[in-house]
Amino acid sequence: MKIDPVSLSADLIRCHSVTPADDGAIPLLEDVLQQAGFQCTRISRGGVENLYARWGQAEPVFAFAGHTDVVPTGDVALWTHDPFSGHIDNEGLLWGRGACDMKSGVAAFVAAAIEMVSRTPPDGSVSLLITGDEEGPAKDGTVAILDWMRAEGETADFCIVGEPTSLARLGDTVKIGRRGSMTGTLVIKGQQGHTAYPERAINPLPVLSRVCARLADTPIDLGSTHFQPSTLALSTIDTGNSASNVIPAEGRAVFNVRFNDLQTADSVRVWADQIIADSLVGTGCEAEIDWSVSGESFITEPGPLLNIPITAIEDSLLERPALTTGGGTSDARFIKNVCPVIEVGLVGDTMHQIDERTRTADIAALSELYLSIMRRFFGI
């Protein structure tokens, strides 16, 4: 059985699966995979549709992971082609929301997995983790699949996430880890008063300004072997105060920290708490901070396992990929608790943009690359 990854990509794009909606994307893949002999399990949680598919019962288990949900389209009138048309133009470009991120990546590894088990059945198993909740809260997607796997005794030995990692050419970049991510919401509390009588109030805003400046200007670290320095970026500072003659009772700031493998969420908290405490001395203000942690940093260390996709890329695409840990977060942050995981995918230059699109030749080449990696993994 052979599946055309380009046609499957276009079919997936035609599903209006703006997170957390599915609109038929998961059932489409389930039908295709079942016809190829995969045992499929639908995992529904919190209104999100997910799919776990496995061929074989033996070990080792090679896994792919990806998502069929997409971000909103923005103003449809600004698109050259309807964002859910799956239009393929005369220049070999596939247009639509999800063309880069990451319906085409899912189609590429689904086609590769089917080709693998149909023509060269491995002495092992191939599994696919496909979620509809990566672009959203990410609480009922891959996490739900992994919870189900844990309960059922399912595992994996190596996983590729098909996110669009390439920068200029297919295969030029492989992500071998991701920075941790956490968001802090800081409230500095003073005492409200009249601006004409500032001595009768405790203005929290100068204190908040100094705290934010120190947080933004104080290095967390200098980076590590595979990671850039950890960073803190302010995203908002506000009071909700509409009166120019009122000193507000409190001010609020929100910031995001992306941290490397020298840090943990706990160490970042300690670092920030010390800066805040030092900044409050003698001010009469109080501080409250609430943290939300998206994930810890992780890395798949270079070695024999990582050499498999690297050599496959070198042989297939005649280029040695850069190994990076930059960018945002992905569902790899959950999968790393199960097995070593990397990310290899299409060029992501138009992901989340108006007129998202990708080269059909790249989709086909990516599917062949995935097939080559699997064959090397199983020694075929």
Side-chain angles (χ1 to χ4, degrees):
M1 181 177 180
K2 189 173 181 62
I3 297 295
D4 176 13
V6 175
S7 296
L8 182 57
S9 299
D11 288 342
L12 287 172
I13 289 172
R14 294 182 187 110
C15 299
H16 293 230
S17 55
V18 176
T19 190
D22 176 70
D23 194 40
I26 293 294
L28 170 62
L29 294 172
E30 180 181 28
D31 181 60
V32 169
L33 288 163
Q34 282 181 334
Q35 290 185 46
F38 282 76
Q39 296 295 315
C40 295
T41 302
R42 292 275 288 276
I43 301 164
S44 302
R45 194 170 84 179
V48 175
E49 291 297 318
N50 306 293
L51 178 66
Y52 177 79
R54 176 168 174 166
W55 182 96
Q57 297 299 319
E59 296 181 347
V61 181
F62 186 100
F64 286 105
H67 63 92
T68 54
D69 61 318
V70 296
V71 298
T73 62
D75 187 351
V76 175
L78 298 178
W79 285 70
T80 301
H81 303 283
D82 185 286
F84 296 107
S85 66
H87 176 76
I88 299 174
D89 66 17
N90 293 332
E91 297 181 357
L93 293 174
L94 171 64
W95 297 70
R97 179 58 85 224
C100 282
D101 188 15
M102 59 165 285
K103 289 182 173 180
S104 297
V106 171
F109 69 62
V110 166
I114 290 174
E115 176 84 357
M116 179 74 182
V117 303
S118 299
R119 299 192 60 178
T120 52
D123 185 13
S125 301
V126 178
S127 65
L128 295 88
L129 291 66
I130 303 172
T131 179
D133 184 35
E134 196 274 347
E135 300 289 6
K139 294 180 179 180
D140 296 307
T142 296
V143 174
I145 299 175
L146 295 176
D147 287 345
W148 177 89
M149 289 175 63
R150 191 176 303 110
E152 296 295 321
E154 295 278 341
T155 188
D157 295 286
F158 186 60
C159 182
I160 289 181
V161 179
E163 289 284 357
T165 59
S166 300
L167 296 179
R169 299 171 303 281
L170 178 65
D172 64 7
T173 305
V174 171
K175 290 189 183 294
I176 61 172
R178 291 277 189 162
R179 295 175 295 173
S181 176
M182 59 195 298
T183 297
T185 301
L186 172 67
V187 177
I188 302 294
K189 297 184 176 182
Q191 180 178 322
Q192 185 172 319
H194 198 298
T195 55
Y197 305 94
E199 70 278 4
R200 299 178 183 176
I202 300 176
N203 194 333
L205 298 188
V207 179
L208 178 62
S209 298
R210 287 195 292 273
V211 172
C212 288
R214 289 173 181 172
L215 287 171
D217 293 342
T218 304
I220 303 174
D221 55 57
L222 299 179
S224 64
T225 302
H226 296 292
F227 287 87
Q228 66 189 78
S230 300
T231 61
L232 181 147
L234 289 157
S235 54
T236 184
I237 301 175
D238 60 76
T239 66
N241 182 17
S242 60
S244 63
N245 60 348
V246 174
I247 293 173
E250 62 182 42
R252 173 177 173 271
V254 179
F255 53 88
N256 180 255
V257 181
R258 300 298 170 116
F259 57 95
N260 58 38
D261 57 347
L262 297 177
Q263 310 296 333
T264 65
D266 286 342
S267 71
V268 172
R269 288 190 186 96
V270 171
W271 171 85
D273 286 346
Q274 187 62 58
I275 291 175
I276 294 167
D278 291 346
S279 301
L280 290 181
V281 174
T283 65
C285 290
E286 298 179 350
E288 293 180 357
I289 186 166
D290 179 65
W291 292 98
S292 173
V293 180
S294 297
E296 299 281 355
S297 66
F298 71 92
I299 187 169
T300 296
E301 292 285 353
L305 196 57
L306 185 55
N307 285 340
I308 294 173
I310 291 175
T311 55
I313 291 172
E314 287 180 319
D315 290 348
S316 300
L317 305 177
L318 304 179
E319 178 167 0
R320 184 171 181 83
L323 307 181
T324 71
T325 58
T329 59
S330 75
D331 280 358
R333 70 189 189 273
F334 306 124
I335 298 168
K336 57 92 174 174
N337 295 322
V338 175
C339 65
V341 57
I342 64 170
E343 300 172 53
V344 182
L346 294 166
V347 175
D349 56 345
T350 64
M351 59 182 173
H352 291 206
Q353 295 182 10
I354 299 293
D355 277 351
E356 182 176 353
R357 59 199 181 274
T358 196
R359 296 175 65 242
T360 57
D362 281 355
I363 300 173
L366 179 62
S367 190
E368 288 297 320
L369 175 62
Y370 287 154
L371 182 60
S372 176
I373 294 171
M374 277 189 291
R375 286 176 172 162
R376 290 168 185 266
F377 177 85
F378 289 113
I380 297 175

